[in-house]
Amino acid sequence: MVDHNAPKPLATGLRMAWLNATDWVAIALDHCKPIRVSLLILAFSTIVITNVDQAAELFLIAMWADPSEIRYVSLLITSALAGLAVWYAAYNAYRLTYPRWPALQDPRAAPLRRWLPRVLGIIVPLLVLFGYVAALRGTPHATCTTAAQCHRRDWRTAGLLIEAAALIVFFIGPQQLKARLFGPRKAAAQSHVAEQRVQSITVLGTLPLSIFLAVLILNVLITALVVVQPRQFDGMGSLAVLLIAGSFFCMSGGFLCMLADRRGIPLLTLLALISISLHALHLNDNHRVRQYPAMSTHQRPDVPPAENRPDFDAYAQAWLRSRCTPQRACPVIVVSTEGGGLRSAAWTAMVLSRFTALVDQIAPPNSGEPLFERYFFAASGVSGGSLGLATYVAALQTPPHTGLSAENLSDQTLNHDFLAPMMANAWFVDFTQRWLPGALFDDRGRALTRGLEQAAEEQGMSAFAQPFSALYEQVDGSVKTDVPALFFNSTTVGEGWRFVQDPFRPYTTSPWTTAFDGSQWLDPRIPLSEVVLNSARFTYLSPAGTLQTAKQPPPAPASLQLVDGGYFENSGTTTLLEVIQLLRKTAAKQGQPLQIIVLHISNDPTLHDFVDAHNSSNPLPLYSATCPRVQSPTERKSYGEITAPAVALLDTRDARGEYARARLLASLHINADNPGSGDVLWHMRLCPGNYPLPLGWTISPPVFDEMHRQLEQNYPLASMAKWLAQQLSDADQP
């Protein structure tokens, strides 16, 4: 008789297989929990390496461009330390038993507990190698350009390979090494001790506890050191700083999680709740905008002094009187420059310095002031473009006051690793501040401004640490027109408006459409470096700044929060167009005709050209370099209902920039029959080239070389400078 209720062999086998698979999933998940800090760090590092262009540039700098052997050795040492930290933290985490995670006691998972720490330790040097290989794949011409660079690349790559191999041997083959050193019995006995599980962290042993406590104390000391001197890691390089921070996170975070996990305390969840609560209650905001040089980012501002900034109308009138003759059109050079981190800053300063030098060589001025600078009236910058404008202007104020010296000073100032001190502050100081009530420390934005000030001072330029308005004040207190009027654009968080910063006193009626007049909010003593930072609060890299003032500006919200100017639009042309309109009104009152010469400086190699009609053999009145066309997909990509709104929000930022450029072009009075008498627009753009041009706050010498190559090869600089010199010389004749 057949028993139909008896279990079927196939069904039984499938059920058992399902149960076994479920068990192993539970075991794997429980084994991830004690080492979650290390896993999160490795996952975050992988995402950054594979998706962030700036990370690729850091690897290329470390392996190719950086001549410093100290920074390369620092990379090797810190990558080895990071691998050892990940391994050691995971190894000791698995030596503890955890009552709420029973799968960690499963004897079947002993090989997993033994091998997973080793694998994680090996991943660190392999990630460094992977980052370098990924950077090479993204480089159009992944070959070195000089013999010295080839040798440097080869032996540095070999050094990374040797280190990775040594760590693999250390992690994978310790038993074999122990067997050779101590004999099979001693090696087996030591392996048995290592596999023993303990009930308390105090039973781990004197050496592990001493190491963990020493690392924790060292973490606190380094944090304090970064507070006092944030540029202490400059000589190590950004990659080394990130590896050091990751090592401390793994060791200190892993140790604290071990203490909490044994008692069933969800430490990371509690820390997240504390941080969110302090942030929501505004109890630990250390991102305040510095209103004067002595102010810290964790202080509230004092009452500002009496207004002593120049008036824009007085500046414009004095500028026109000193340069223009009412009977003929007066050439007026204005500049808009786009954001793009240090890439934009270097390109902006390079273009302006080169034109200054070329025009001065062709037509030395009668007044002793370089002609280009003399007729350079105003500029509007966003983010890195603002930094480029500030660097160019500061360089021209430094003897011997020539374009060639300005270009050299600008290159030397911007050829710094501004990312390393920011990262040191972000991961040691700002990270610690998130769990502490009360604003106690300067933030990573201050680390950037301090780095800019010190880099400029090394080149003899003190303007970055001085009040912005001081550039426009004569010794006798009268307005100084030798420096072009700079307008730096930021964006407010609550309104999404432009926040226009300039060195002038508040306007009686704001000339800005749907924007805040920064002069109403900013102290007359605000340093140039802080104004640049407000425009260049690069997403997440630089924090949003809380702007508070002791005076109450009209209209008067309690405070504003500033982010990068590129959030509104990245071209800077919206503000420049309004500046041109202001100047035309002032000139019309004096009966002064103007010829507007616009230099629009963009740095995004993928940017669409907004100057449609141009002739490369005759660069007037419109000119833009012809970049190789990027092959566009034949079919338009479609997005789902979740991603479509986010993509649209991001794309509208670029669209606003294109719209602003088109409006600027349409506002010009271009005389096609007689180009020399009408307005002019030159679009100085970067193209895709022989070397990647990354965003961020550190770039390498090959990036400067690529920019110099494009400036010289993509533009008829000689003919452009000759025409410009002729226009300016004619106007400069008495």
Side-chain angles (χ1 to χ4, degrees):
M1 184 174 180
V2 178
D3 184 2
H4 294 284
N5 294 322
K8 303 295 188 293
L10 179 59
T12 302
L14 290 174
R15 189 179 298 110
M16 293 300 296
W18 170 254
L19 290 174
N20 286 334
T22 304
D23 285 347
W24 278 108
V25 169
I27 289 172
L29 289 176
D30 275 2
H31 277 72
C32 290
K33 294 173 183 176
I35 59 171
R36 56 194 179 277
V37 174
S38 297
L39 291 176
L40 287 172
I41 291 170
L42 291 173
F44 177 76
S45 302
T46 303
I47 293 171
V48 170
I49 288 173
T50 54
N51 292 279
V52 179
D53 291 340
Q54 178 62 27
E57 171 68 357
L58 293 180
F59 284 103
L60 292 179
I61 290 174
M63 303 304 294
W64 281 12
D66 193 348
S68 173
E69 306 303 342
I70 295 177
R71 282 191 286 271
Y72 174 70
V73 172
S74 299
L75 174 63
L76 289 180
I77 294 174
T78 52
S79 60
L81 288 175
L84 292 171
V86 170
W87 161 74
Y88 197 71
Y91 166 75
N92 283 282
Y94 284 147
R95 291 185 60 196
L96 284 176
T97 59
Y98 304 92
R100 60 186 179 134
W101 298 325
L104 281 172
Q105 279 67 250
D106 195 316
R108 294 176 297 172
L112 187 64
R113 292 188 292 272
R114 185 167 61 252
W115 282 97
L116 192 54
R118 301 176 184 178
V119 172
L120 294 180
I122 293 171
I123 286 176
V124 174
L126 293 181
L127 264 180
V128 176
L129 277 171
F130 172 72
Y132 175 49
V133 173
L136 289 180
R137 290 186 61 187
T139 305
H141 301 281
T143 56
C144 46
T145 56
T146 65
Q149 197 178 73
C150 291
H151 292 310
R152 185 188 304 138
R153 178 202 62 181
D154 293 342
W155 76 260
R156 287 186 178 182
T157 304
L160 274 181
L161 288 170
I162 292 171
E163 180 185 75
L167 286 176
I168 289 173
V169 170
F170 175 80
F171 289 129
I172 293 180
Q175 292 302 317
Q176 291 83 348
L177 291 176
K178 289 177 182 177
R180 291 187 178 182
L181 293 173
F182 306 110
R185 290 187 178 180
K186 278 193 174 182
Q190 290 184 356
S191 176
H192 176 70
V193 170
E195 289 296 326
Q196 285 183 339
R197 314 296 298 284
V198 297
Q199 300 294 323
S200 171
I201 199 167
T202 57
V203 190
L204 283 176
T206 304
L207 181 61
L209 285 177
S210 300
I211 292 175
F212 278 120
L213 289 174
V215 170
L216 196 60
I217 294 171
L218 186 60
N219 196 344
V220 174
L221 292 176
I222 289 182
T223 302
L225 195 56
V226 174
V227 171
V228 177
Q229 178 50 261
R231 290 193 70 187
Q232 61 177 307
F233 288 124
D234 285 15
M236 300 184 65
S238 299
L239 280 179
V241 171
L242 294 174
L243 287 166
I244 289 175
S247 302
F248 278 116
F249 279 151
C250 289
M251 291 291 285
S252 300
F255 178 65
L256 295 176
C257 282
M258 287 165 61
L259 291 173
D261 292 341
R262 272 292 304 163
R263 291 161 176 78
I265 301 173
L267 180 63
L268 297 185
T269 302
L270 287 176
L271 288 176
L273 291 175
I274 292 172
S275 178
I276 292 171
S277 300
L278 292 173
H279 175 74
L281 297 172
H282 303 286
L283 295 178
N284 63 348
D285 183 8
N286 67 325
H287 303 313
R288 292 188 176 93
V289 175
R290 294 168 55 242
Q291 291 277 30
Y292 42 88
M295 180 181 169
S296 299
T297 63
H298 54 86
Q299 295 176 335
R300 291 183 178 274
D302 294 334
V303 177
E307 185 62 67
N308 61 351
R309 287 174 288 189
D311 180 77
F312 175 77
D313 287 337
Y315 173 87
Q317 292 170 12
W319 193 94
L320 290 170
R321 282 196 306 268
S322 62
R323 292 159 172 81
C324 304
T325 304
Q327 289 77 23
R328 54 188 176 187
C330 182
V332 179
I333 301 172
V334 292
V335 173
S336 56
T337 176
E338 300 185 359
L342 212 55
R343 174 183 72 192
S344 175
W347 178 240
T348 298
M350 190 180 298
V351 168
L352 296 177
S353 300
R354 187 65 61 87
F355 272 119
T356 302
L358 290 174
V359 171
D360 195 25
Q361 289 174 1
I362 295 172
N366 297 324
S367 62
E369 180 185 0
L371 270 181
F372 184 87
E373 183 189 9
R374 176 171 170 77
Y375 287 92
F376 185 177
F377 173 73
S380 170
V382 176
S383 193
S386 297
L387 174 59
L389 290 173
T391 305
Y392 164 77
V393 167
L396 273 182
Q397 305 307 303
T398 305
H401 310 288
T402 66
L404 288 176
S405 66
E407 183 172 358
N408 181 61
L409 288 173
S410 299
D411 285 357
Q412 294 298 324
T413 300
L414 298 175
N415 189 14
H416 276 73
D417 185 359
F418 298 111
L419 184 62
M422 290 181 67
M423 289 294 96
N425 189 290
W427 295 118
F428 287 99
V429 179
D430 269 358
F431 187 80
T432 303
Q433 176 69 83
R434 302 285 67 81
W435 327 114
L436 301 177
L440 305 175
F441 310 115
D442 278 337
D443 69 351
R444 58 191 182 276
R446 179 57 180 139
L448 175 59
T449 58
R450 188 179 282 111
L452 294 174
E453 292 167 3
Q454 293 178 357
E457 286 171 358
E458 290 173 3
Q459 304 304 320
M461 301 186 298
S462 60
F464 277 90
Q466 302 299 318
F468 183 22
S469 60
L471 287 168
Y472 302 86
E473 298 172 4
Q474 300 279 16
V475 177
D476 60 1
S478 60
V479 62
K480 181 180 180 182
T481 61
D482 297 342
V483 180
L486 299 181
F487 297 84
F488 298 143
N489 299 276
S490 186
T491 307
T492 61
V493 174
E495 302 78 11
W497 289 9
R498 281 176 299 145
F499 184 85
V500 184
Q501 307 170 101
D502 60 52
F504 306 109
R505 66 179 61 210
Y507 299 85
T508 304
T509 301
S510 177
W512 320 118
T513 304
T514 317
F516 284 99
D517 174 12
S519 300
Q520 295 277 6
W521 286 82
L522 299 177
D523 192 298
R525 300 167 294 175
I526 187 168
L528 177 61
S529 62
E530 192 72 14
V531 177
V532 169
L533 172 65
N534 290 337
S535 180
R537 291 187 177 271
F538 203 70
T539 309
Y540 295 118
L541 204 58
S542 304
T546 302
L547 177 58
Q548 297 172 325
T549 179
K551 63 180 181 178
Q552 198 74 349
S559 64
L560 293 177
Q561 199 170 21
L562 304 181
V563 291
D564 195 283
Y567 280 91
F568 182 86
E569 64 97 355
N570 199 40
S571 73
T573 53
T574 300
T575 299
L576 185 69
L577 179 56
E578 292 174 333
V579 172
I580 294 173
Q581 292 169 349
L582 285 175
L583 179 64
R584 279 179 169 156
K585 289 180 181 178
T586 302
K589 294 177 182 178
Q590 299 182 5
Q592 175 63 62
L594 301 177
Q595 180 188 28
I596 305 298
I597 302 171
V598 179
L599 268 67
H600 178 64
I601 304 174
S602 66
N603 66 92
D604 184 357
T606 64
L607 179 70
H608 296 294
D609 187 11
F610 71 103
V611 180
D612 295 321
H614 67 267
N615 183 352
S616 59
S617 62
N618 180 18
L620 305 173
L622 307 176
Y623 183 73
S624 176
T626 303
C627 291
R629 290 188 175 273
V630 179
Q631 190 68 28
S632 58
T634 55
E635 294 186 5
R636 191 174 181 83
K637 187 175 181 181
S638 179
Y639 296 93
E641 60 181 300
I642 296 177
T643 57
V647 172
L649 286 173
L650 292 173
D651 288 344
T652 52
R653 166 186 173 271
D654 295 333
R656 283 194 297 270
E658 292 186 15
Y659 176 72
R661 296 184 199 99
R663 284 191 62 223
L664 173 66
L665 184 58
S667 72
L668 300 179
H669 306 152
I670 296 173
N671 188 341
D673 297 328
N674 185 10
S677 64
D679 295 339
V680 173
L681 187 146
W682 292 342
H683 181 193
M684 309 299 294
R685 61 188 306 209
L686 282 173
C687 298
N690 300 331
Y691 192 86
L693 302 172
L695 295 172
W697 292 118
T698 179
I699 54 178
S700 60
V703 175
F704 283 92
D705 294 340
E706 172 64 19
M707 290 181 182
H708 282 288
R709 184 193 67 79
Q710 290 200 27
L711 183 59
E712 294 164 1
Q713 295 183 10
N714 292 355
Y715 297 92
L717 292 177
S719 61
M720 296 170 81
K722 182 178 180 181
W723 177 88
L724 190 56
Q726 185 63 50
Q727 298 293 108
L728 303 182
S729 297
D730 291 345
D732 204 46
Q733 296 300 320

